[in-house]
Amino acid sequence: MTVLQKTAEPAVNAETARSIGLTEEEFERLKKILGRDPNWTELGITSALWSEHCSYKSSKVYLKEFPTAGPHVLQGPGENAGVVDVGHGWVAVFKMESHNHPSFIEPYQGSMTGVGGILRDVFTMGARPIACMDALRFGEIDAPRMRFLIDGVVRGIGGYGNCMGIPTVGGETGFHRCYDGNILVNAFALGIARHDRIFHARASGAGNPVLYVGSRTGRDGIHGATMASESFDKESEQKRPTVQVGDPFTEKVLLEACLEAMRTGAIVAIQDMGAAGLTSSTFEMAGRGGTGLHLDLDQVPLRQPGLTPYEMMLSESQERMVLVAKKGREEEVEKVFRRWGLEVADIGEITTTGRAVLTWHGEMAADVPIQPLTEEAPVYRRPVAEPTDLAARWRAPEVPQPDDPRQALEELLATPEFASKRWIWQQYDHTVRTNTVQGPGGDAAVLLLKGTPSGLAMTCDVNPVYCYFDPRRGGAQAVAEAVRNLACVGAEPVGLTDCLNFGNPERPEISWQFREAVRGISDACRALAVPVISGNVSFYNETEGQSIYPTPAVAMVGVIPNLSNLPNPWFQREGDRIVLLGEDRSEFGGAAYLRLLYDLEQGRPPEVDLDAELRLARLLRGLVARGLIHTAHDLSEGGFLISLAEACFGRRTLGARVEVPLAGADLFSETQGRALVACAPAALDRVLQAAEEAGVPAREIGETGGGELVVKSGGEVLSAPVDRLHEIWSTALPKALGL
Amino acid sequence: MKARVTVYPRREILDPQGKAIRDALTRVGFPGVDDVRAGKSFEISLGTEDLQAADRQLREMCEKLLANTVVEDYSLEILGGAGAQP
Amino acid sequence: MKARVTVYPRREILDPQGKAIRDALTRVGFPGVDDVRAGKSFEISLGTEDLQAADRQLREMCEKLLANTVVEDYSLEILGGAGAQP
Amino acid sequence: MKCGVVVFPGSNCDHDVYHVLKHVLEQEVTFLWHQDDSLQGCELIVLPGGFAYGDYLRAGALAALSPVMGAVKRHAEAGGLVLGICNGFQVLLEAGLLPGAMRRNENLRFQCLDVHLRTERADLPFTRRLKPGQVLRLPIAHAEGNYEDSPARLDALEANGQVVFRYCEPDGRITSESNPNGAARNIAGICNVAGNVLGLMPHPERCSEAVLGNTDGLALFASAVEVGSRHLQAAGAGR
Ligand SMILES: Nc1ncnc2c1ncn2[C@@H]1O[C@H](COP(=O)(O)OP(=O)(O)O)[C@@H](O)[C@H]1O
Ligand SMILES: [Mg+2]
């Protein structure tokens, strides 16, 4: 068998293999699989498929620990996105994915194409996307380059979702110097579909045509998947031409055309071209289905002439899809795409050989077996080592008392970390599609499930400082906080997706962080009965050897059976009674109070009592279902006083007077498993009784009303006009950005 | 001194706007148009009359602000005293 | 034949983008800049080599599509055979 | 009343408008494809929000040239009702059905928030259910809503009573703080001289159901539907 090796292409040897990301052993493994030397195209294909990004080779062994089954799960990890039943014949399809490296190089296009990619993952499954969220991590905000990145990322996320007409209803934004050289941009998308209308990316049926639809293929983003699997250094600068440009308009048209084409019944399988473009899409489809594949590369629509097979197979041009149609019914499918002004090309067919055969200009451009490159890609159990200074990291911090709690509160509210994120989400269309009952700004976003009494709730959470000091606790805490946020709107969790952002897994400490974080997430998912249905791993988040803090972002989706009693995260009415739920302790490991006011990061993060979290979540859901509360807001970063202040910042600000057994620094303790609720005086007894029955400590601490926030603990602790606090909080972010 | 800075998406990079405009022109009756590239144009009044200084300043402006050199190329032009713009 | 069309907001109309750029330039250290106007530039490959025909076509494109003459002015330029863009 | 919602490639509020007309107001509604030049006998035509043709070049510019706009023009000239919302308003401007032009928001950013509108004309087919001076709260979501025209033409617009909505404070005062995008004279919505064509930047369809917490937008659709039904009754009675 002779395959084409063009003279203009680099010679194939261990060294050139390494230059595109394959290790020597991997190169040998490939030669063994082929029984000969690969040509350059085959080498490129393999390097992409075996990149960390596509193969999950360093993470696979741990990801297996996730609980992935549950009564609602229709599709767990392994497809483009996970699928859960949300009742009334509907399913929710969702996933989260990172676009960190591209966004650091070019924030606008990088974040745009991140949103574009995750949306394709969702609509490829046959679901109409109805919501997006974005989890962002930036470095110190005063650096000009960081401001440029923040501005570009926010514009990009908005630019894509706004044009597509999909509301961005929530997210989170954090700032820490560990992201100075490596920001994180994680995009989440959720779609809905009827139960029996789900599509898969599993090829079948010898002789069925392989169709290419969407934008033409250019030279953009060649080897993006490999780039996402490397750390940053000066060389990355030179890889700039790999930047991909997003075209949300084409994607919008592609979305409509795909959903319409799916209704013809003539589509067997469909897959978007994401990382590693044509390679991963066709190989993964065939790999899952156990089929072979013949591609005629002369048929691939090109944006400019002269692309080589290597370039065609590795280009990451955006807004493209591959689908397998039923033989003889191509016309029906093609007609739909043409009507929407999109190009369709018949680029090959499904075979039974189990091989991918690529022809070009009448010659063989590549001929490789599929499964050994996909399902049987290398898997590594990398060395793991606990950090040697763990005991020192866990030493309990010395906690200074604030001179003036009011001043401490005001200072915290003015940090980018706690400041209102309105400046960000006001640039996102969050009301399009007329489903948004509660948009950004609360604990969880709430969407209508039109035609039913129910709603969908979603939230995204993680505390990287906790994860750095104790990745297992940090992982569990992220899940627990997400459950709590959902419970505050009365939602029962049905599944989660994650985006695990870590440093270089070849370093034993990073692998340890990863293993522990996955364990923590798994512990909490088991205890709280939340299956993991999809996710994404992003390694090599390092610059010049400086790793980010482990950041396993978690996005969770829940169902609210009935929207008629939905509480608010803010105080609604004067004279409502405020009840604090959960147990107060003095816990400051990794706490924001120490970090932001005293520049001190120290100690083991707060304990996560999963049983207590479960009891609290059940209680909150019960209170919402019975319509007993007007307000529910959980306590998280910053503790009691921050949450209390936030609850005063509704569309109309409203004060509160409370008396608590907390004083000084303890007002900012980050003990988990707590929430604030407010109810009409007449409902107070029932709220307290429900708490007692649920086994959740509860005490009435005061009432809402007036224009002041007054906290007493024996004597007066602080008193501040709410409008002033609100002013500080709401203007801090644009101020910090120099706007 | 007045100058014009023109910024275009790099050749090898997708230009969705140019493509959309070309398609629209074809649709409304200009079938001969086979390529459109869409860029930005800035007319800048500089506080200097020194050609070299102007050139240096303009380049710096482009690198810093006017162009995103990751995805765009720029070109410079000094306009005749009166300003070439109609 | 290749042509360049440049479209600018009309003089009498406020140009928020130009103003924002001028402010930004001043902030990052170009105090001498006293006016910036932000416009659009299109490079168009026409299917004709006839100068007059090209001019007619371009004018029509501008009136119909490329410029909104309520708030914008346009100007035309035929580019040398090689295309003047770098 | 038979209503038509125009679908351009890139329209993304088409389903939202359809939903309000069909499920909230229980009217007959159909989608109209941008390449057709027939309106299928619809009496009310809505150009919905979105990014028609990607809004490349200028918002609404490419859409204004599509075949369906020829039919919409004829419909408008014959006195038929046309409502352009957000991107639909931009299309109406570009198509010359309404005067003026849109520029990018003054702060050059996409803005999604609730604004207040003062009703300047309550006698139009679209506003008859409102009271003069009535203040509405409606969401906006756009990057190009900065309405502009020459001072002389703006004066004419005012003199003709073509300004229908202005951005205002909750109590109805017209201030520059309440203007979210820099629009000339706080203009949020205008009509043609005859009053049968209305364009506005805010999205009434996003606040037309109690479950979304705000129903201030419903009056616009309900007014138009009421006018339409009277037409029908009148026509029926005449026969
Ligand atoms: N990047 C973002 N995009 C959209 N919404 C955001 C973003 N960042 C923060 N938000 C919103 O701001 C609110 C506060 O976020 P956060 O403090 O993380 O909430 P919580 O502590 O309840 O998890 C949330 O409603 C969230 O959706
Ligand atoms: Mg919360």
Side-chain angles (χ1 to χ4, degrees):
Chain A
M1 163 69 43
T2 49
V3 291
L4 182 70
Q5 166 77 28
K6 297 214 315 177
T7 46
E9 286 171 342
V12 172
N13 54 44
E15 200 170 311
T16 51
R18 191 166 41 241
S19 77
I20 57 170
L22 284 178
T23 65
E24 193 148 349
E25 301 84 79
E26 288 167 347
F27 181 55
E28 288 305 317
R29 181 180 179 135
L30 172 61
K31 286 203 284 191
K32 203 173 288 158
I33 289 171
L34 295 182
R36 61 173 165 81
D37 281 359
N39 70 3
W40 184 241
T41 303
E42 292 166 336
L43 193 68
I45 288 172
T46 308
S47 131
L49 289 172
W50 290 359
S51 69
E52 191 62 58
H53 192 86
C54 292
S55 72
Y56 289 82
K57 59 190 171 190
S58 305
S59 57
K60 238 179 189 160
V61 291
Y62 303 115
L63 297 179
K64 278 198 216 115
E65 291 179 28
F66 282 145
T68 57
H72 304 295
V73 180
L74 297 177
Q75 173 69 57
E79 271 279 347
N80 285 306
V83 183
V84 288
D85 191 331
V86 292
H88 306 281
W90 289 99
V91 296
V93 176
F94 58 90
K95 183 167 190 266
M96 180 151 61
E97 203 160 76
S98 65
H99 232 216
N100 307 336
H101 287 70
S103 302
F104 189 71
I105 293 175
E106 211 311 272
Y108 180 73
Q109 296 297 344
S111 57
M112 281 245 272
T113 49
V115 175
I118 194 65
L119 285 169
R120 283 195 300 283
D121 276 335
V122 166
F123 71 75
T124 338
M125 302 289 297
R128 176 175 284 281
I130 62 161
C132 291
M133 297 195 287
D134 58 326
L136 311 177
R137 303 280 156 188
F138 298 113
E140 303 262 13
I141 201 168
D142 23 7
R145 164 88 185 154
M146 194 51 66
R147 292 180 182 176
F148 165 78
L149 290 173
I150 295 169
D151 182 58
V153 165
V154 170
R155 281 181 195 277
I157 288 174
Y160 215 94
N162 298 347
C163 180
M164 290 284 289
I166 297 158
T168 301
V169 297
E172 57 167 355
T173 312
F175 302 86
H176 193 285
R177 52 179 166 262
C178 74
Y179 305 106
D180 280 349
N182 194 315
I183 62 170
L184 302 184
V185 175
N186 295 174
F188 163 98
L190 177 141
I192 54 171
R194 295 305 290 175
H195 212 289
D196 48 2
R197 285 295 179 81
I198 286 299
F199 276 78
H200 293 278
R202 186 164 306 153
S204 66
N208 277 338
V210 177
L211 303 181
Y212 168 121
V213 300
S215 291
R216 292 169 165 235
T217 298
R219 287 208 169 85
D220 29 4
I222 290 176
H223 265 311
T226 312
M227 184 180 83
S229 313
E230 284 170 0
S231 302
F232 268 119
D233 52 32
K234 297 196 189 72
E235 239 178 80
S236 323
E237 289 286 297
Q238 277 143 35
K239 293 187 177 153
R240 283 176 160 188
T242 56
V243 169
Q244 311 132 33
V245 171
D247 177 2
F249 167 64
T250 297
E251 176 125 321
K252 165 69 176 165
V253 175
L254 193 58
L255 158 69
E256 298 301 335
C258 282
L259 293 181
E260 196 176 313
M262 286 164 171
R263 288 196 289 269
T264 62
I267 293 179
V268 176
I270 177 161
Q271 161 99 33
D272 74 300
M273 291 194 228
L278 194 51
T279 293
S280 67
S281 56
T282 55
F283 276 69
E284 282 170 14
M285 244 185 350
R288 290 194 192 107
T291 68
L293 184 66
H294 171 236
L295 295 184
D296 177 0
L297 297 182
D298 295 309
Q299 305 306 319
V300 174
L302 300 180
R303 205 163 72 220
Q304 64 245 71
L307 265 69
T308 64
Y310 179 93
E311 290 170 322
M312 279 185 240
M313 291 307 289
L314 295 178
S315 158
E316 293 189 2
S317 290
Q318 299 289 296
E319 292 91 24
R320 302 178 299 161
M321 304 281 254
V322 159
L323 55 91
V324 177
K326 288 189 179 147
K327 194 176 169 60
R329 298 185 59 186
E330 318 57 324
E331 259 310 306
E332 289 168 60
V333 176
E334 291 176 13
K335 228 175 77 191
V336 174
F337 286 99
R338 296 226 170 85
R339 192 172 93 92
W340 283 96
L342 290 166
E343 231 171 321
V344 192
D346 185 337
I347 60 165
E349 63 174 15
I350 299 303
T351 65
T352 54
T353 60
R355 300 185 74 83
V357 176
L358 279 45
T359 52
W360 184 63
H361 289 9
E363 296 189 72
M364 191 81 80
D367 179 2
V368 293
I370 293 171
Q371 295 244 344
L373 297 188
T374 56
E375 316 298 290
E376 296 153 31
V379 171
Y380 299 123
R381 183 178 284 277
R382 303 210 184 260
V384 167
E386 192 177 288
T388 48
D389 62 344
L390 203 57
R393 288 188 201 176
W394 283 3
R395 206 170 40 235
E398 209 59 69
V399 181
Q401 293 301 317
D403 297 332
D404 175 1
R406 170 172 165 182
Q407 198 193 336
L409 173 63
E410 290 185 357
E411 273 178 47
L412 285 174
L413 291 175
T415 59
E417 193 72 10
F418 285 111
S420 166
K421 307 300 185 294
R422 174 184 284 275
W423 179 85
I424 295 175
W425 51 255
Q426 195 161 291
Q427 298 182 57
Y428 303 157
D429 191 338
H430 50 266
T431 49
V432 63
R433 298 205 63 77
T434 62
N435 292 319
T436 311
V437 177
Q438 187 169 296
D443 289 310
V446 178
L447 297 189
L448 287 179
L449 192 54
K450 275 207 183 89
T452 80
S454 332
L456 294 177
M458 57 204 78
T459 174
C460 72
D461 296 279
V462 66
N463 183 322
V465 181
Y466 291 176
C467 293
Y468 173 73
F469 281 93
D470 186 339
R472 186 158 186 172
R473 252 187 206 179
Q477 190 275 340
V479 176
E481 183 172 344
V483 169
R484 219 152 62 213
N485 278 329
L486 291 184
C488 284
V489 295
E492 172 125 33
V494 289
L496 78 71
T497 180
D498 59 67
C499 198
L500 309 175
N501 307 276
F502 287 76
N504 176 352
E506 294 159 42
R507 290 182 23 206
E509 181 179 335
I510 303 291
S511 271
W512 172 80
Q513 288 175 346
F514 188 80
R515 186 190 72 190
E516 293 299 297
V518 168
R519 282 188 180 160
I521 291 174
S522 302
D523 296 340
C525 283
R526 287 210 171 80
L528 302 171
V530 189
V532 176
I533 66 155
S534 59
N536 170 248
V537 178
S538 171
F539 279 134
Y540 299 95
N541 289 290
E542 299 198 353
T543 299
E544 310 278 336
Q546 191 61 43
S547 168
I548 61 161
Y549 279 5
T551 315
V554 155
M556 198 179 289
V557 175
V559 173
I560 306 169
N562 194 312
L563 283 176
S564 48
N565 294 320
L566 192 68
N568 223 283
W570 306 287
F571 296 137
Q572 296 294 297
R573 304 178 199 197
E574 305 251 355
D576 269 0
R577 297 305 168 85
I578 305 170
V579 176
L580 178 56
L581 302 173
E583 195 181 321
D584 302 312
R585 284 189 302 271
S586 192
E587 290 179 285
F588 286 90
Y593 170 76
L594 292 182
R595 176 163 65 93
L596 298 172
L597 297 184
Y598 301 93
D599 200 19
L600 177 64
E601 282 182 7
Q602 177 65 33
R604 198 168 184 197
E607 196 183 322
V608 181
D609 178 343
L610 294 169
D611 287 332
E613 295 283 0
L614 192 60
R615 287 194 297 271
L616 176 67
R618 283 199 182 124
L619 168 64
L620 285 166
R621 290 196 295 263
L623 293 176
V624 175
R626 291 166 62 197
L628 289 178
I629 51 177
H630 297 143
T631 303
H633 184 34
D634 76 319
L635 272 56
S636 56
E637 213 187 4
F640 169 75
L641 196 51
I642 288 285
S643 283
L644 182 65
E646 286 171 349
C648 298
F649 300 158
R651 192 146 61 81
R652 185 172 71 94
T653 55
L654 188 58
R657 315 174 69 81
V658 301
E659 165 99 41
V660 282
L662 299 169
D666 281 347
L667 291 164
F668 303 100
S669 155
E670 295 188 2
T671 299
Q672 300 293 300
R674 295 184 295 168
L676 285 171
V677 297
C679 62
L684 180 64
D685 287 343
R686 276 173 292 162
V687 170
L688 293 174
Q689 199 193 336
E692 188 175 338
E693 282 163 14
V696 176
R699 54 221 159 277
E700 189 212 343
I701 58 169
E703 65 178 8
T704 62
E708 300 270 315
L709 176 60
V710 180
V711 179
K712 289 185 180 164
S713 182
E716 182 165 297
V717 175
L718 77 102
S719 155
V722 172
D723 281 339
R724 178 179 154 77
L725 297 176
H726 181 263
E727 171 78 13
I728 293 173
W729 172 80
S730 58
T731 56
L733 187 57
K735 263 193 206 152
L737 287 166
L739 296 167
Chain B
M1 190 178 288
K2 228 172 175 175
R4 176 172 297 164
V5 175
T6 312
V7 179
Y8 272 92
R10 283 193 176 183
R11 279 273 150 208
E12 70 271 26
I13 274 186
L14 178 71
D15 172 14
Q17 186 170 189
K19 185 176 167 297
I21 296 171
R22 192 208 53 207
D23 293 350
L25 285 173
T26 311
R27 254 194 332 269
V28 300
F30 302 96
V33 174
D34 54 34
D35 191 36
V36 176
R37 300 184 56 74
K40 288 174 270 185
S41 180
F42 304 100
E43 225 177 85
I44 302 178
S45 304
L46 295 162
T48 175
E49 290 302 319
D50 178 275
L51 212 65
Q52 258 189 325
D55 189 76
R56 204 179 43 242
Q57 275 187 27
L58 287 166
R59 268 174 216 288
E60 213 186 313
M61 286 177 194
C62 285
E63 296 284 335
K64 265 195 172 155
L65 196 74
L66 298 177
N68 177 352
T69 52
V70 177
V71 287
E72 293 170 329
D73 285 326
Y74 60 87
S75 62
L76 309 176
E77 209 178 327
I78 300 292
L79 299 178
Q85 212 229 314
Chain C
M1 189 177 292
K2 230 171 173 175
R4 177 172 298 163
V5 175
T6 312
V7 178
Y8 271 93
R10 289 202 166 176
R11 280 274 150 207
E12 69 272 17
I13 277 189
L14 238 147
D15 171 14
Q17 203 189 348
K19 186 176 165 301
I21 294 171
R22 194 208 52 205
D23 294 350
L25 284 173
T26 310
R27 244 194 340 266
V28 301
F30 300 98
V33 174
D34 55 32
D35 189 37
V36 178
R37 301 191 54 79
K40 288 174 257 186
S41 178
F42 307 100
E43 224 178 85
I44 302 179
S45 303
L46 295 162
T48 174
E49 291 301 321
D50 180 278
L51 212 65
Q52 260 191 325
D55 189 74
R56 206 179 40 244
Q57 275 187 28
L58 287 166
R59 269 175 214 288
E60 211 185 315
M61 285 178 197
C62 286
E63 296 286 336
K64 253 194 172 161
L65 187 69
L66 298 177
N68 180 341
T69 51
V70 176
V71 285
E72 293 171 327
D73 283 325
Y74 60 87
S75 63
L76 309 175
E77 208 178 329
I78 300 293
L79 299 178
Q85 214 231 311
Chain D
M1 170 161 76
K2 189 167 177 193
C3 311
V5 179
V6 176
V7 181
F8 300 104
S11 293
N12 63 31
C13 303
D14 43 350
H15 288 93
D16 301 356
V17 171
Y18 184 96
H19 171 74
V20 170
L21 290 170
K22 176 93 179 181
H23 300 117
V24 181
L25 290 173
E26 302 182 333
Q27 300 299 305
E28 185 186 351
V29 198
T30 179
F31 287 119
L32 301 170
W33 188 240
H34 64 116
Q35 278 173 334
D36 296 342
D37 68 353
S38 147
L39 302 182
Q40 299 176 28
C42 292
E43 294 165 87
L44 166 66
I45 304 300
V46 185
L47 307 186
F51 287 71
Y53 294 90
D55 269 359
Y56 292 125
L57 189 58
R58 292 181 311 276
L62 303 181
L65 297 176
S66 58
V68 75
M69 286 311 293
V72 172
K73 265 182 212 167
R74 291 192 297 276
H75 180 74
E77 278 156 15
L81 296 182
V82 178
L83 173 62
I85 301 168
C86 194
N87 194 227
F89 182 15
Q90 295 162 338
V91 175
L92 289 175
L93 294 175
E94 286 285 344
L97 280 165
L98 290 173
M102 283 301 172
R103 297 168 307 166
R104 291 173 66 187
N105 292 352
E106 207 165 38
N107 70 358
L108 304 178
R109 293 178 189 280
F110 188 98
Q111 293 289 293
C112 178
L113 70 157
D114 279 3
V115 297
H116 290 92
L117 296 185
R118 191 172 77 190
T119 310
E120 307 287 45
R121 287 280 304 268
D123 58 340
L124 297 171
F126 295 101
T127 57
R128 51 191 301 138
R129 288 214 170 177
L130 298 172
K131 287 191 279 298
Q134 187 173 341
V135 175
L136 306 174
R137 183 165 61 90
L138 260 60
I140 55 164
H142 61 249
E144 291 184 41
N146 185 349
Y147 181 78
E148 175 69 311
D149 208 338
S150 70
R153 282 196 298 246
L154 287 171
D155 288 343
L157 197 71
E158 306 247 20
N160 292 338
Q162 287 175 259
V163 178
V164 184
F165 294 111
R166 276 185 231 267
Y167 301 112
C168 69
E169 301 289 338
D171 62 9
R173 279 176 306 124
I174 307 294
T175 61
S176 57
E177 291 75 43
S178 58
N179 183 340
N181 51 31
R185 305 183 190 185
N186 280 40
I187 290 173
I190 58 172
C191 63
N192 62 349
V193 175
N196 60 317
V197 178
L198 172 72
L200 79 167
M201 286 315 292
H203 286 276
E205 79 282 11
R206 297 189 190 181
C207 50
S208 289
E209 271 182 291
V211 65
L212 296 173
N214 182 358
T215 53
D216 280 6
L218 192 59
L220 272 83
F221 300 106
S223 297
V225 163
E226 189 180 281
V227 170
S229 331
R230 283 199 190 161
H231 265 288
L232 275 189
Q233 276 166 11
R239 235 171 256 140

